[in-house]
């Protein structure tokens, strides 16, 4: 029984460690970065099993708040090379291995 309790403790520690957003790269101003990060976390939690819906929600909200031409990619194990407007890129991880890339390109 001690093994079961210890396993649950390790799993809880892992979930606690990986439940916060980790910004990998961003050139956004502080205020925009905080809003975008909170929006990404909210969308990923709301649509935990549907990355497409989460990306759509983030894109629509960023378009409303910061003007049009925002793009969003959400998933695991992807690479990218993009052209973006300066001070309009956010690349972050959430929940361990779920990556979110948000950028503006007009």
């Amino acid at each position: 029984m001690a093994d079961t309790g210890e396993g649950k403790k390790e799993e809880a520690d892992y979930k606690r460690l990986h439940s916060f957003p980790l910004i990998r790269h961003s050139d956004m101003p502080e205020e925009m970065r905080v809003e975008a990060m909170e929006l990404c976390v909210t969308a990923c939690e709301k649509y935990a099993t549907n990355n497409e819906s989460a990306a759509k929600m983030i894109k629509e909200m960023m378009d409303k708040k910061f003007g049009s031409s925002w793009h969003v990619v959400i998933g695991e194990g992807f690479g990218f090379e993009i052209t973006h407007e300066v001070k309009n890129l956010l690349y972050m991880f959430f929940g361990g291995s779920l990556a979110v890339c948000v950028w503006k390109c007009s």
Side-chain angles (χ1 to χ4, degrees), residues 1-2 5 8 12 21-22 25 27 43-44 46 48 51-52 58 64 70 73-74 81 85-86 91 94 98 105-106:
M1 283 200 195
K8 286 183 181 180
L22 172 67
H25 177 77
D27 65 355
C44 289
K46 184 175 181 179
N51 292 343
E52 188 176 345
I58 295 167
K64 281 183 190 174
W70 285 92
V73 175
I74 301 177
E81 183 175 331
E85 290 183 14
V86 177
Y91 177 49
F94 179 72
L98 188 66
C105 177
S106 54

Side-chain angles (χ1 to χ4, degrees), residues 32-68:
M32 182 188 285
R33 182 174 63 239
V34 169
E35 283 192 50
M37 183 181 63
E38 288 174 354
L39 178 59
C40 290
V41 169
T42 302
C44 289
E45 287 176 342
K46 184 175 181 179
Y47 299 105
T49 58
N50 190 343
N51 292 343
E52 188 176 345
S53 294
K56 185 177 180 180
M57 176 184 165
I58 295 167
K59 186 224 179 327
E60 288 173 355
M61 294 301 290
M62 293 296 285
D63 282 348
K64 281 183 190 174
K65 182 80 178 180
F66 301 108
S68 63

Side-chain angles (χ1 to χ4, degrees), residues 1-11:
M1 283 200 195
D3 292 334
T4 311
E6 189 174 307
K8 286 183 181 180
K9 182 183 180 297
E10 287 177 8
E11 185 179 331

